[in-house]
Amino acid sequence: RRQAALDKPNFCSLLTEYRTAINAKSQGVSDGFSLSITAPANPSVVPSAYDFPCMAAQLDWVGIMSYDLHGSWDSFAGGSTTMKDNVPDCCAAKLPCCVSAKNFYGEGVDGYWGSAGYFDDNFSIQYAAKMWENGGVPKNQLVVGLATYGRTQKLTTDQTSLGDPTKGAGWEGAYTLEAGFLSYFEILGGFPKNTWHFNEAGQFLWASDCKETYVSFEDECTLTYKADWVAKNGYHGVMMWEISSDQSANKEFPLLNAISLAMQGKPMDVKSCAREGG
């Protein structure tokens, strides 16, 4: 927090200098330049780190990194791109992810998101977008981040569902070679669709396998839902991480095509994808 108190005004000063140079066409700057940032979706970081009025005044748009909301750094199986928090409601369902905020980051360490349990952390696409909007950055300057990959976690018990205990990253993909991360095409190869489960409240998919790996991810329908929500709610647009994670062997790009159609006002039927075992 002490560093944030220094960085917050300094970052505003830096952006103001950039904007001044762009407007004045100085330092070799020509017409057509825009000024934008990518920024976190973390509610424990954003309000103390960003001067919202300054961001609105100096930036053309803010790209919200509303992905990696949960992953191998957590001790429960979560949704990496969930629309809403409290998915599932761990304490109501009496799942292992229902822990006191006191133990959020380990025994004796204070948590900072209330007392009901892990899933009252407000990590979600909707909350992140509303947090920036309520701070003073208009919708038409906000770009919502979407993912074409999944986050993996290592399950620690014979419980293998959303909300169950995990520790660290699941197996890494043969192509992406990053523990805790699988591209969509690697998920298609490693998790048959009859193992896929759909979380309607969060609008994401999850699956688990015999290698004790849990993965949360997207398909054409979940990304259609999210892109359609972005378009209908008047946000500036979407950004994606990242293109090469889509299924591209025969230039199909199913995820990118689904997003594109939704942003053009021609969304596919979100009930047309395989759900709960096919």
Side-chain angles (χ1 to χ4, degrees), residues 99-177:
V99 298
S100 70
K102 196 76 173 176
N103 295 330
F104 196 91
Y105 285 121
E107 191 67 33
V109 179
D110 286 331
Y112 39 73
W113 285 301
S115 59
Y118 268 111
F119 279 90
D120 61 344
D121 58 11
N122 291 326
F123 277 180
S124 73
I125 292 173
Q126 286 185 346
Y127 190 92
K130 184 59 69 173
M131 173 175 60
W132 278 91
E133 182 188 348
N134 289 346
V137 181
K139 280 184 176 181
N140 61 7
Q141 286 179 256
L142 294 176
V143 171
V144 176
L146 302 177
T148 58
Y149 63 90
R151 281 290 174 188
T152 70
Q153 298 171 251
K154 179 81 169 180
L155 295 156
T156 60
T157 70
D158 59 359
Q159 303 300 306
T160 59
S161 298
L162 180 65
D164 286 324
T166 61
K167 185 176 182 180
W171 53 270
E172 65 183 43
Y175 297 92
T176 50
L177 300 175

Side-chain angles (χ1 to χ4, degrees), residues 191-251:
F191 296 85
K193 287 192 176 183
N194 61 8
T195 68
W196 293 11
H197 301 276
F198 173 58
N199 186 278
E200 186 168 5
Q203 289 292 316
F204 65 89
L205 295 163
W206 62 270
S208 55
D209 68 1
C210 59
K211 297 179 183 179
E212 300 176 326
T213 286
Y214 164 97
V215 60
S216 62
F217 60 102
E218 305 276 17
D219 69 0
E220 298 96 315
C221 291
T222 62
L223 285 171
T224 292
Y225 181 98
K226 289 164 182 170
D228 190 48
W229 178 83
V230 169
K232 287 179 177 176
N233 280 277
Y235 292 100
H236 186 59
V238 297
M239 65 180 190
M240 289 147 288
W241 188 269
E242 42 75 37
I243 291 173
S244 66
S245 291
D246 201 353
Q247 173 61 284
S248 58
N250 298 308
K251 299 184 179 180

